C-alpha cells in the first residue's frame, strides 16, 4: 500500500535553508502527483507546492515562490522540497501527500478537492533566531 514519510525538518535561523524529503513506498513515484502542505498552530492548512504525474505540472504558493523548489528522484522514489531564505512565517508542520486520481497529471495545491488521499505524518520546521 502507498505510504509517505517526511523527514528533514528541524530548527533553522531566518534566512537559512532546509531540505525536506518525502519517501514514497508502495508504488513508483511516476504513478501519482505529490503535494506539499503545511499547517502552523492556529492556522488553516496551506498548500505549498505540487508536482503532477509525469512531472510537467508544477505549482507553488505565492508565499514561497522564488524561495522554494521541488524535485523528484525517480530511482529512489523520493520527493524533495528545498526551502531557502526561510522566514519565521514558514514555521509549520510540513506534510507530503499523494494524488492518485485520474486528474493527477495537473497538480493542485488546494487540498479540499479530494485529490489527496494519502498523507505522511508530517515533519516540524521551525524558523527562529
Amino acid at each position: 500500500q502507498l505510504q509517505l514519510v517526511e523527514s528533514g525538518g528541524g530548527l533553522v535561523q531566518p534566512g537559512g535553508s532546509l531540505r525536506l524529503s518525502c519517501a514514497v513506498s508502495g508504488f513508483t513515484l511516476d504513478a501519482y502527483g505529490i503535494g506539499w502542505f503545511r499547517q502552523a498552530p492556529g492556522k488553516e492548512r496551506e498548500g505549498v507546492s505540487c508536482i503532477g504525474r509525469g512531472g510537467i505540472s508544477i505549482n507553488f504558493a505565492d508565499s514561497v515562490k522564488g524561495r522554494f523548489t521541488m524535485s523528484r528522484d525517480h530511482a529512489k522514489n523520493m520527493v524533495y522540497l528545498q526551502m531557502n531564505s526561510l522566514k519565521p512565517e514558514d514555521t509549520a508542520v510540513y506534510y507530503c501527500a499523494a494524488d492518485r486520481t485520474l486528474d493527477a497529471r495537473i497538480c493542485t495545491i488546494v487540498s479540499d478537492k479530494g485529490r489527496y488521499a494519502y498523507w505522511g505524518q508530517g515533519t516540524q520546521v521551525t524558523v527562529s533566531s
Side-chain angles (χ1 to χ4, degrees):
Q1 56 184 353
L2 184 62
Q3 186 175 31
L4 304 96
V5 179
E6 303 94 336
S7 62
L11 174 64
V12 297
Q13 293 182 317
S17 298
L18 202 62
R19 189 178 77 164
L20 304 183
S21 300
C22 177
V24 182
S25 62
F27 295 91
T28 178
L29 186 61
D30 288 339
Y32 38 78
I34 297 292
W36 283 99
F37 301 85
R38 66 187 183 185
Q39 187 166 22
K43 301 292 185 179
E44 295 183 352
R45 186 172 60 197
E46 175 189 16
V48 177
S49 67
C50 66
I51 185 167
R53 182 176 61 241
I56 298 176
S57 176
I58 302 175
N59 288 300
F60 293 91
D62 289 340
S63 60
V64 305
K65 286 182 178 178
R67 299 189 298 119
F68 290 11
T69 58
M70 192 173 177
S71 62
R72 303 182 301 176
D73 187 328
H74 302 279
K76 297 181 179 180
N77 271 11
M78 298 284 288
V79 179
Y80 304 101
L81 182 67
Q82 179 66 46
M83 306 184 295
N84 301 319
S85 302
L86 284 164
K87 305 175 181 179
E89 303 90 87
D90 296 317
T91 296
V93 177
Y94 284 71
Y95 301 88
C96 62
D99 176 6
R100 297 180 63 198
T101 69
L102 295 177
D103 298 322
R105 183 179 179 185
I106 307 299
C107 79
T108 178
I109 58 174
V110 180
S111 63
D112 61 356
K113 293 185 177 181
R115 296 271 294 274
Y116 296 95
Y118 302 90
W119 294 78
Q121 83 289 346
T123 185
Q124 176 70 49
V125 173
T126 302
V127 184
S128 176
S129 60

